[in-house]
């Protein structure tokens, strides 16, 4: 039986040591008996799914919320009152909320299933000395696997033989270009992204061939460990769900307490238990904000719709509000902050540094030298360097059906094609003039690619080389000058220039040429070992998105920190962070502003918390590093939005308060784990979503501030009536009419309020802050008391004037409704007066008010409504009193609003959060 392999650092062992440790042969592979033994020992190559909760339990847990308890109680109470329609409406709200939550949760649980789908393919192995095709699930530790271009790596492998092998590991490491693989042993402290002698399960072979030995299968692979991290990552409650739960629990106790007081006081006054029970029921029904859960769901759903219009698809409703509370955005670099299109920006030829304009794969741009326009045809060395990049190349630049340019092949080679086309060099024309007759592909041990071209217009064949600066300069003795003549090369000069460009975060390639006799039709390494002509350097970078720069600035103005977490190298990450504005442009390049994966792995959790808070750029990070960083930031009470597109990002996406997956480049696993998906993979869409999230939260607080005075007033009017031994001014069924109609027709119109001015100039809302600040609680109490006192006074006046109870109660009901209408205009902004917003900026409010007035007239004068709700017709003078109360509420609140806002401004405090 093979010893345990989980903790073995295979990348530190030589090829021979790896074969010995795994007790296998590169030529023979495993035999059938050994395969069976190892499958029994290590299990099949599948990712096991953690047994989750049953769908029924998930559904029932949706009812486990204090506010839902209140609604269930309201539904039961109204059923006891035989108000079947009201009971059914409230129960419908409860069930709708439960089903929405249930379906969202079930969708999220598909993430791990997406991981398992990776294992349903075939691979080529050597067993008993023969090549065989087997299903990936049948692989076991020690199997010899053959890889070629287009294969998905079936398990974690220690590579033993490679030929020009390149593997796209972006989904696992975040590296933006394919990794060049080799078989040599590495140092112990090599981070995951630099383990070039390993191939990881689920990554994609883009070029070359290789042979490796399986070191881990199923749950023990890197992707399997990510699966375990997804399963164990905490799913945190959002700030809104926490606060609404606390608020609902408090409301539950207050309502039950007031109902109990009402019952006891009535009994002490000599009332019958039945009458007092009905009074307590009336108070409970009045105090319960039946419309709040439905309003929350609808306001959040409207926010989802608005975000979709700004390229952000929200999968979980509470995530809308969480975005508005976000204090830190942890963003991937490639494709989110950058364009994911490598672009040549600087070409250094002869002694001239030439800037190339234009970004991305569109071949539009110009050349400048010392800020003066330069024609490539006037600079022979520049033209030759571009020509070398075009011909010594395997990529293809294509124009697709959507009229977009894209690269088929390596992004780095694609950048060279685009740079050449900016100089009007076309691949088809040059390939006809100089057809390729031989190639030496790129190999990691040589660090260059060579092509031999038949030259139809000269007596020699031309050799072009591209590769690392070190490998090319070591073979050059001459350098081409601007006029096409040659001079002796100053090797150290060009090494220094290359280092300067690399120090700016640019990826630098060197180019050279050589002439061979016309009759020579093949090329060897010996042919290009010395005496080459150096053509120049091309330096490229994945350029930042212009809109991302503006979005980062907007986030900083809004008090939201932006942190870059990438698998790329430190210098590249530093350069992009400076260009985008994450780091100051004045910061020196030798700074320790970038924390790399090696340092992260050496820090304990406490130390990492301090580094995470004070560092904005993280490079060469592993999946474990990302997860630890998110947890470290959350310890500091931050609300974290985390972006990602790869399988490696899934655990941190799940751990973050809001996980954001890329829609274009994102893997299925990342999308299923995320709370939100960016359609355009653009950081600017995150900033837009934060803005929408703040607007949604504002509107939610406006609704709560608007609806609670009614519930407070209704509860108080019942309590006061019982204490005074008076008739109830409003009956339970009338309370339900007020609550349900006004919540839908008036309150929900606040969901359509446009965002207030300077919403992105405010700091993020404190997650510990209560939903309602002290000034808002005072305002709610003030309006509630005005409604209670006004309704009770005019109810009593009507009775004293000889009106029957139905008329008096109709006046009281209309005072509540009209008071709510006037107060609705107050609540359109909790900070500014209505006229600053504009009367017609939310037509939904005017429409809702119009319909409510019509319904209230029907309630008052239609016989069938009078029968159903015990209402009666009232006179014109009564309406004047009612309107006067509404106007009084509006004026009082506007004065209070003005005084409160100015006082808070002076003290530097916030009205919300």
């Amino acid at each position: 039986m093979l010893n345990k392999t989980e903790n073995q650092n295979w990348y530190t062992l030589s090829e021979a040591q790896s074969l010995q440790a795994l007790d296998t042969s590169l030529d023979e592979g495993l035999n059938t008996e050994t395969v069976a033994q190892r499958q029994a020992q290590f299990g099949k190559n599948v990712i096991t799914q953690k047994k989750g909760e049953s769908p029924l339990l998930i559904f029932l847990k949706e009812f486990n919320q204090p506010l839902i308890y209140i609604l269930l109680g309201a539904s039961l109470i109204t059923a006891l009152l035989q108000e079947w329609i009201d009971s059914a409406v409230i129960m419908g709200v409860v069930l709708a909320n439960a089903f929405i939550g249930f379906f969202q949760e079930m969708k999220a649980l598909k993430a791990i299933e997406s991981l398992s789908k990776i294992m349903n393919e075939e691979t080529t192995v050597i067993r008993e000395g023969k090549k065989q095709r087997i299903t990936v699930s049948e692989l076991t530790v020690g199997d010899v696997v053959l890889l070629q271009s287009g294969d998905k790596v079936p398990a974690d492998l220690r590579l033993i033989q490679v030929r020009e092998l390149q593997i796209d590991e972006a989904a696992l490491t975040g590296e933006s270009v394919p990794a060049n693989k080799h078989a040599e042993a590495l140092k112990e402290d090599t981070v995951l992204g630099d383990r070039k002698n390993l191939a990881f399960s689920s990554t994609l072979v883009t070029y070359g061939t290789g042979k490796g030995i399986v070191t881990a299968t199923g749950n023990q692979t890197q992707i399997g460990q990510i699966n375990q991290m997804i399963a164990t990552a905490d799913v945190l409650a959002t700030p809104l769900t926490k606060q609404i739960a606390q608020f609902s629990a408090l409301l539950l106790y207050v309502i039950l307490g007031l109902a109990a007081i009402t019952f006891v006081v009535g009994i002490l006054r000599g009332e019958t238990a039945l009458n007092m029970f009905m009074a307590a029921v009336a108070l409970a029904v009045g105090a319960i904000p039946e419309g709040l859960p439905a309003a929350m769901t609808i306001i959040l759903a409207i926010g989802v719709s608005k975000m979709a219009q700004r390229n952000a698809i929200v999968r979980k409703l509470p995530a809308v509000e969480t975005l508005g509370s976000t204090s830190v955005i942890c963003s991937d670099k490639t494709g989110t902050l950058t364009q994911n299109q490598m672009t040549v920006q600087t070409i250094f030829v002869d002694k001239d540094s030439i800037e190339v304009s234009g970004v991305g794969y569109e071949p539009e741009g110009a050349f400048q030298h010392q800020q003066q326009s330069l024609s490539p045809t006037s600079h022979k060395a520049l033209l030759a360097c571009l020509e070398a990049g075009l011909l010594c190349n395997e990529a293809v630049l294509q124009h697709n059906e959507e009229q977009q340019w894209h690269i088929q092949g390596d992004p780095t080679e694609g950048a060279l094609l685009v740079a050449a086309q900016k100089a009007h060099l076309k691949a088809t024309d040059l390939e006809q003039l100089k057809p390729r007759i031989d190639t030496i592909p790129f190999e990691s041990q040589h660090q260059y690619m060579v092509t031999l071209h038949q030259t139809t217009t000269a007596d020699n064949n031309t050799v072009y080389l591209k590769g690392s600066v070190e490998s090319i300069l070591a073979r050059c003795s001459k350098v081409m000058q601007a006029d096409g003549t040659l001079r002796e090369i100053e090797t150290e000069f060009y090494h220094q220039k290359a280092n300067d460009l690399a120090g700016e975060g640019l990826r630098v390639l060197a180019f050279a040429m050589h002439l061979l006799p016309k009759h020579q039709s093949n090329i060897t390494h010996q042919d290009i070992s010395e005496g080459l002509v150096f053509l120049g350097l091309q330096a490229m970078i994945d350029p930042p998105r212009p809109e991302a720069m503006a979005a980062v600035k907007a986030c900083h103005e809004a008090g939201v920190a932006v942190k870059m977490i990438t698998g790329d190298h430190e210098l590249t990450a530093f350069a992009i962070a400076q260009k985008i504005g994450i780091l100051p442009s004045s910061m020196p390049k030798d700074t320790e502003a970038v924390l790399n994966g090696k340092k992260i792995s050496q820090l304990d959790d406490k130390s990492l918390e301090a580094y995470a808070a004070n560092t904005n750029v993280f490079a060469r990070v592993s999946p474990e590093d990302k997860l630890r960083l998110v947890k470290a930031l959350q310890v500091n009470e931050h609300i974290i939005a985390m972006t990602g597109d790869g399988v490696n990002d899934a655990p941190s996406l799940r751990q973050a308060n809001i996980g954001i997956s890329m829609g274009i480049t994102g893997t299925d696993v990342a999308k299923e784990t995320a709370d939100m998906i960016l359609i355009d993979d653009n950081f600017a869409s995150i900033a837009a979503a934060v803005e929408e999230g703040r607007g949604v939260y504002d509107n939610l607080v406006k609704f709560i501030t608007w609806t609670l005075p009614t519930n407070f007033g209704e509860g108080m009017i019942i309590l006061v009536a019982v204490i005074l031994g008076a008739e109830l001014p409003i009956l339970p069924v009338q309370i339900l009419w007020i609550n349900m109609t006004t919540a839908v027709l008036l309150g929900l119109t606040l969901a359509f309020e446009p965002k207030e001015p300077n919403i992105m100039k405010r700091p993020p809302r404190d997650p510990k802050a209560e939903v309602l600040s002290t000034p808002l609680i005072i305002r709610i109490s003030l309006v509630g008391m005005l409604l209670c006192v006004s309704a009770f006074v005019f109810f009593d006046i009507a009775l004293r004037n000889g009106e029957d109870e139905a008329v008096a109660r109709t006046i009281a009901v209309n005072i509540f409704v009209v008071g709510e209408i006037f107060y609705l205009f107050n609540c359109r902004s909790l900070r500014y007066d209505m006229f600053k917003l504009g009367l017609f900026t939310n037509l939904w409010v005017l429409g809702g008010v119009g319909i409510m007035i019509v319904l209230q007239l029907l309630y008052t004068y239609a016989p069938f409504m009078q029968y159903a709700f015990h209402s009666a017709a009232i006179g014109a003078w009564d309406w004047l009193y009612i309107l006067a109360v509404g106007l009084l509420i509006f004026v009082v609140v506007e004065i209070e609003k003005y005084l409160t806002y100015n006082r808070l401004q002076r003290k530097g405090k916030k009205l919300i959060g």
Side-chain angles (χ1 to χ4, degrees), residues 294-295 298-299 302 703 706 742-752:
I298 292 168
I299 290 171
I302 291 169
F703 176 85
W706 172 83
T742 57
V744 174
L745 294 173
L746 300 180
L748 284 182
T749 63
L750 293 172
F752 299 95

Side-chain angles (χ1 to χ4, degrees), residues 350 380-381 478-487 533-534:
D350 192 7
K380 296 291 194 296
K478 303 283 186 180
V479 60
M480 183 179 287
Q481 300 182 102
D483 61 2
T485 59
L486 306 181
R487 61 175 166 81
V533 177
F534 182 70

Side-chain angles (χ1 to χ4, degrees), residues 779 826 829-834 890-906 911:
R779 186 178 303 172
N826 294 125
S829 174
L830 301 179
R831 299 173 175 83
Y832 311 116
D833 64 72
M834 181 187 72
F890 177 81
V891 171
V892 168
V893 172
E894 284 300 307
I895 293 171
E896 180 272 334
K897 192 194 298 185
Y898 175 80
L899 295 174
T900 299
Y901 183 65
N902 281 282
R903 187 180 76 253
L904 292 176
Q905 286 285 88
R906 287 194 302 271
L911 188 65

